[in-house]
Coordinates of all heavy atoms in Angstrom, one line a residue:
H384 N -15.8 1.8 -10.2 CA -16.4 0.6 -9.6 C -16.1 0.4 -8.2 O -16.7 -0.4 -7.5 CB -16.0 -0.6 -10.4 CG -14.6 -0.9 -10.4 ND1 -13.6 0.0 -10.8 CD2 -13.9 -2.1 -10.0 CE1 -12.4 -0.6 -10.7 NE2 -12.6 -1.8 -10.2
V385 N -15.1 1.2 -7.7 CA -14.7 1.0 -6.3 C -14.2 2.3 -5.6 O -13.8 3.3 -6.4 CB -13.5 0.0 -6.1 CG1 -13.9 -1.4 -6.5 CG2 -12.2 0.5 -6.9
L386 N -14.3 2.3 -4.3 CA -13.7 3.4 -3.5 C -12.6 2.7 -2.7 O -12.9 1.8 -1.9 CB -14.7 4.1 -2.6 CG -15.9 4.8 -3.3 CD1 -17.0 5.0 -2.2 CD2 -15.4 6.0 -3.9
H409 N -18.9 -10.4 -4.4 CA -18.5 -8.9 -4.5 C -19.7 -8.1 -5.1 O -19.7 -7.6 -6.2 CB -17.3 -8.8 -5.4 CG -16.0 -9.2 -4.8 ND1 -15.3 -8.4 -4.0 CD2 -15.4 -10.4 -4.9 CE1 -14.2 -9.0 -3.6 NE2 -14.2 -10.2 -4.2
E410 N -20.8 -8.0 -4.3 CA -21.9 -7.2 -4.7 C -21.7 -5.8 -4.3 O -20.7 -5.5 -3.6 CB -23.2 -7.8 -4.0 CG -23.5 -9.2 -4.4 CD -24.7 -9.7 -3.6 OE1 -25.0 -9.1 -2.5 OE2 -25.3 -10.8 -4.0
A411 N -22.5 -4.9 -4.8 CA -22.4 -3.5 -4.4 C -22.5 -3.3 -2.9 O -23.2 -4.0 -2.3 CB -23.5 -2.7 -5.1
Y412 N -21.7 -2.4 -2.4 CA -21.6 -2.1 -1.0 C -20.9 -3.2 -0.1 O -21.1 -3.3 1.1 CB -23.0 -1.7 -0.4 CG -23.6 -0.5 -1.1 CD1 -24.6 -0.7 -2.1 CD2 -23.2 0.8 -0.7 CE1 -25.2 0.4 -2.7 CE2 -23.8 1.9 -1.3 CZ -24.8 1.7 -2.3 OH -25.3 2.7 -3.0
T413 N -20.1 -4.0 -0.8 CA -19.3 -5.0 0.0 C -17.9 -4.5 0.0 O -17.5 -3.6 -0.8 CB -19.4 -6.4 -0.6 OG1 -18.9 -6.3 -2.0 CG2 -20.8 -7.0 -0.6
L414 N -17.1 -5.0 0.9 CA -15.7 -4.7 1.0 C -14.8 -5.8 0.6 O -15.0 -7.0 1.0 CB -15.3 -4.3 2.5 CG -15.7 -2.9 3.0 CD1 -17.2 -2.7 3.0 CD2 -15.1 -2.6 4.3
G415 N -13.8 -5.5 -0.2 CA -12.8 -6.5 -0.6 C -11.4 -6.0 -0.4 O -11.2 -4.8 -0.3
Y426 N -11.2 -2.0 -0.5 CA -12.1 -1.2 -1.3 C -13.5 -1.5 -1.0 O -13.9 -2.6 -0.5 CB -11.8 -1.3 -2.8 CG -11.9 -2.8 -3.3 CD1 -13.2 -3.3 -3.6 CD2 -10.8 -3.5 -3.5 CE1 -13.3 -4.6 -4.1 CE2 -10.9 -4.8 -3.9 CZ -12.1 -5.4 -4.2 OH -12.2 -6.7 -4.7
I427 N -14.4 -0.5 -1.3 CA -15.8 -0.7 -1.2 C -16.3 -0.8 -2.7 O -16.0 0.1 -3.5 CB -16.5 0.5 -0.5 CG1 -16.0 0.6 0.9 CG2 -18.1 0.3 -0.5 CD1 -16.5 1.9 1.6
S428 N -17.0 -1.8 -3.0 CA -17.6 -1.9 -4.3 C -18.8 -1.0 -4.5 O -19.7 -1.0 -3.6 CB -18.0 -3.4 -4.6 OG -16.9 -4.2 -4.8
T429 N -18.8 -0.1 -5.5 CA -19.9 0.8 -5.7 C -20.8 0.2 -6.8 O -21.9 0.8 -7.0 CB -19.4 2.1 -6.1 OG1 -18.5 2.0 -7.3 CG2 -18.6 2.8 -5.0
V430 N -20.5 -0.9 -7.4 CA -21.3 -1.6 -8.3 C -21.2 -3.1 -8.0 O -20.3 -3.5 -7.2 CB -20.9 -1.3 -9.8 CG1 -21.1 0.2 -10.1 CG2 -19.5 -1.8 -10.1
D431 N -21.9 -3.9 -8.7 CA -21.7 -5.4 -8.6 C -20.4 -5.7 -9.3 O -20.2 -5.5 -10.5 CB -22.9 -6.1 -9.3 CG -22.9 -7.6 -9.0 OD1 -21.8 -8.2 -9.2 OD2 -23.9 -8.2 -8.7
N432 N -19.5 -6.2 -8.5 CA -18.1 -6.5 -9.0 C -17.8 -8.0 -9.0 O -16.6 -8.4 -9.0 CB -17.1 -5.8 -8.1 CG -16.8 -4.4 -8.5 OD1 -16.7 -4.1 -9.7 ND2 -16.7 -3.5 -7.6
V433 N -18.8 -8.8 -9.1 CA -18.6 -10.3 -9.2 C -17.7 -10.6 -10.4 O -16.8 -11.4 -10.3 CB -19.9 -11.1 -9.2 CG1 -19.6 -12.6 -9.4 CG2 -20.6 -10.9 -7.9
H436 N -14.0 -8.8 -9.8 CA -13.2 -9.2 -8.7 C -13.5 -10.6 -8.2 O -12.8 -11.1 -7.2 CB -13.3 -8.2 -7.6 CG -12.8 -6.9 -7.9 ND1 -11.4 -6.6 -8.1 CD2 -13.4 -5.7 -8.2 CE1 -11.3 -5.3 -8.4 NE2 -12.5 -4.8 -8.5
C450 N -13.6 -11.1 -0.4 CA -14.7 -10.2 0.0 C -15.0 -10.5 1.4 O -15.4 -11.6 1.8 CB -15.8 -10.5 -0.9 SG -17.2 -9.3 -0.8
V454 N -21.3 -3.0 3.9 CA -21.8 -1.8 4.5 C -23.2 -2.1 5.0 O -24.1 -2.7 4.3 CB -21.8 -0.7 3.5 CG1 -22.4 0.6 4.1 CG2 -20.4 -0.4 3.0
V461 N -21.7 6.1 1.7 CA -21.0 5.6 0.6 C -21.4 6.5 -0.7 O -20.5 6.9 -1.5 CB -21.3 4.1 0.3 CG1 -20.6 3.7 -1.0 CG2 -20.8 3.3 1.4

Side-chain angles (χ1 to χ4, degrees):
H384 64 306
V385 296
L386 299 165
H409 287 277
E410 297 173 344
Y412 299 100
T413 58
L414 280 67
Y426 56 81
I427 300 172
S428 288
T429 55
V430 299
D431 188 313
N432 272 322
V433 174
H436 296 288
C450 187
V454 175
V461 177

